[in-house]
Amino acid sequence: MSCLQSWPEPVARVQHLLDSGIQEIPKCYIKKPSERPSFIESATSDLNIPVIDLQYLFSDDDSLRQTTTNLVASACREWGFFHVVNHGISQQLMAATQKVWREFFHLPLEEKQKYANSPITYEGYGSRLGAEKGVSLDWSDYFFLHFLPISLRDEKKWPQIPVSCRELVEKYSEEVVKLGGKLMKIFSRNLGLKENYLEEAFGGEGNIGACLRVNYYPKCPQPGLTLGISPHSDPGGMTLLFPDEKVSGLQVRHKNNWVTVKPLPNAFIVNLGDQLQVLSNANYRSVEHRVIVNAEKERVSLAYFYNPRGDIPIKPAEELITEDNPPLYPCMTFNEYRLYIRTRGPCGKAQVESLKSSH
């Protein structure tokens, strides 16, 4: 059975739908009225997620280091999202990697279909994130690949065209994983834990899960009726997103409002996932977010998922548990958690919150 045949319904590429000249989106992409985005400017329009300048964490000025550390801690507790600038990754590498993926999505359909994915692993070129029949679909295509652990990495499944794609993906991945490791140490120290605690809880260096999903959001003739990605929290550990700097699309739930994140040049958007909320016993927040689309411009973003190894039990750190602060979440592996949220379905909030009521 081919990858396309293994899906419960025929798979339509969103980009191909747009290129066919449609003026109205198919019904399967239309969201319920209560789930549709509002483009009316609200009181939150001037808000943006916090900005962290990472170079200050290595300053000789103790006061500046402490102030920056406190900003990271506050962002993790209040937002679950923040920008990082001066993070040490080459601007040229970032731009070249994003450019090569944009070129991939503009290849002829038959070339991209060589990498068509299946619901078994999701690796490759895809257009839906669920195997259920008859569900509402999102207005996006994507490419998903594994980088770590090495046992899951299969570069033969990465695009051969453009010719520089595989080399750029490897270099970019190495740098983003290094950045993820630095952030994990900061998160650990801010919780009062040993700086390697969270990394080791994820499996240790080289044993974490690291995977890339490149999102392509074509222009949409009816952006008010659909979403690029429906509301969700990230089930894993942390996501390092390199957004399209020219087009906003990510929205973050903050104090019951949707805040549109305004991209910054050469910055990453970091968001904490459900596993860090569990390990921190809810000191850190995994926050619901979604993606809107527009009629004028396409968007390309690179989401790097920094996750625990799938078979390691994850539970609140014992150092954070007291009589007044009991564990809020049960112990479960990342694989078990993914199965849990898959069978439970959307819950209208950060998915990990539902574990509290089941514990």
Side-chain angles (χ1 to χ4, degrees), residues 188-239:
S188 291
R189 291 198 300 266
N190 280 345
L191 288 169
L193 303 170
K194 294 179 180 178
E195 72 169 17
N196 290 326
Y197 183 93
L198 293 175
E199 184 81 5
E200 290 173 359
F202 274 29
E205 187 176 353
N207 288 313
I208 63 152
C211 45
L212 172 67
R213 190 176 76 215
V214 185
N215 303 303
Y216 179 76
Y217 305 100
K219 291 182 285 187
C220 180
Q222 294 177 297
L225 298 182
T226 190
L227 290 165
I229 297 181
S230 296
H232 66 287
S233 63
D234 289 355
M238 165 177 54
T239 305

Side-chain angles (χ1 to χ4, degrees), residues 9-307:
E9 300 168 306
V11 177
R13 303 305 183 194
V14 176
Q15 184 181 15
H16 184 60
L17 284 175
L18 180 69
D19 291 344
S20 71
I22 62 169
Q23 299 300 311
E24 297 182 355
I25 63 175
K27 289 183 179 180
C28 58
Y29 295 95
I30 298 176
K31 306 299 180 184
K32 299 175 184 176
S34 61
E35 298 172 352
R36 296 173 190 172
S38 171
F39 295 96
I40 300 173
E41 289 295 318
S42 68
T44 62
S45 61
D46 293 331
L47 274 180
N48 202 4
I49 59 175
V51 180
I52 309 295
D53 192 330
L54 282 191
Q55 69 177 347
Y56 293 148
L57 287 171
F58 308 100
S59 169
D60 293 331
D61 186 327
D62 290 342
S63 175
L64 195 55
R65 278 203 315 274
Q66 189 58 52
T67 298
T68 306
T69 297
N70 293 342
L71 287 172
V72 174
S74 175
C76 291
R77 289 180 166 92
E78 300 298 324
W79 282 87
F81 272 81
F82 55 92
H83 283 112
V84 288
V85 297
N86 294 319
H87 40 68
I89 298 181
S90 159
Q91 297 176 13
Q92 291 76 18
L93 176 61
M94 293 169 67
T97 306
Q98 191 173 61
K99 179 175 181 288
V100 82
W101 280 112
R102 193 182 299 274
E103 290 171 355
F104 170 81
F105 284 106
H106 283 281
L107 290 172
L109 181 61
E110 56 269 21
E111 179 63 33
K112 291 178 290 191
Q113 292 288 63
K114 294 177 182 178
Y115 304 96
N117 69 355
S118 79
I120 299 172
T121 67
Y122 285 95
E123 286 181 275
Y125 176 53
S127 299
R128 58 184 297 162
L129 292 170
E132 299 84 4
K133 191 173 183 179
V135 297
S136 174
L137 301 179
D138 292 333
W139 192 261
S140 57
D141 298 325
Y142 65 87
F143 197 102
F144 180 82
L145 59 87
H146 288 286
F147 185 69
L148 290 176
I150 292 177
S151 59
L152 290 181
R153 189 189 308 176
D154 186 354
E155 296 184 14
K156 294 177 182 177
K157 295 181 179 178
W158 302 2
Q160 278 188 303
I161 301 174
V163 292
S164 60
C165 186
R166 291 181 178 178
E167 180 182 1
L168 283 169
V169 166
E170 184 170 8
K171 290 180 179 178
Y172 179 83
S173 298
E174 289 172 351
E175 294 301 311
V176 174
V177 168
K178 287 179 188 175
L179 175 59
K182 292 177 183 177
L183 290 169
M184 291 285 276
K185 290 180 178 179
I186 298 168
F187 298 158
S188 291
R189 291 198 300 266
N190 280 345
L191 288 169
L193 303 170
K194 294 179 180 178
E195 72 169 17
N196 290 326
Y197 183 93
L198 293 175
E199 184 81 5
E200 290 173 359
F202 274 29
E205 187 176 353
N207 288 313
I208 63 152
C211 45
L212 172 67
R213 190 176 76 215
V214 185
N215 303 303
Y216 179 76
Y217 305 100
K219 291 182 285 187
C220 180
Q222 294 177 297
L225 298 182
T226 190
L227 290 165
I229 297 181
S230 296
H232 66 287
S233 63
D234 289 355
M238 165 177 54
T239 305
L240 297 103
L241 177 74
F242 178 32
D244 195 316
E245 296 175 3
K246 298 179 181 178
V247 195
S248 296
L250 174 65
Q251 291 188 324
V252 174
R253 177 80 80 176
H254 184 67
K255 297 180 179 179
N256 294 320
N257 291 305
W258 286 110
V259 176
T260 301
V261 177
K262 302 166 186 65
L264 301 178
N266 307 309
F268 283 96
I269 296 171
V270 177
N271 74 277
L272 308 189
D274 295 349
Q275 303 307 302
L276 282 181
Q277 180 162 326
V278 170
L279 281 159
S280 71
N281 205 36
N283 281 288
Y284 291 165
R285 296 184 62 208
S286 175
V287 174
E288 190 182 21
H289 50 285
R290 68 183 187 181
V291 175
I292 57 175
V293 291
N294 69 79
E296 304 299 325
K297 296 179 180 179
E298 66 177 24
R299 291 179 62 245
V300 175
S301 67
L302 282 65
Y304 228 104
F305 302 109
Y306 194 99
N307 295 331

Side-chain angles (χ1 to χ4, degrees), residues 309-326:
R309 207 177 75 194
D311 60 350
I312 295 178
I314 301 291
K315 64 179 181 178
E318 291 182 8
E319 292 87 338
L320 304 178
I321 303 304
T322 65
E323 187 175 338
D324 294 330
N325 294 290

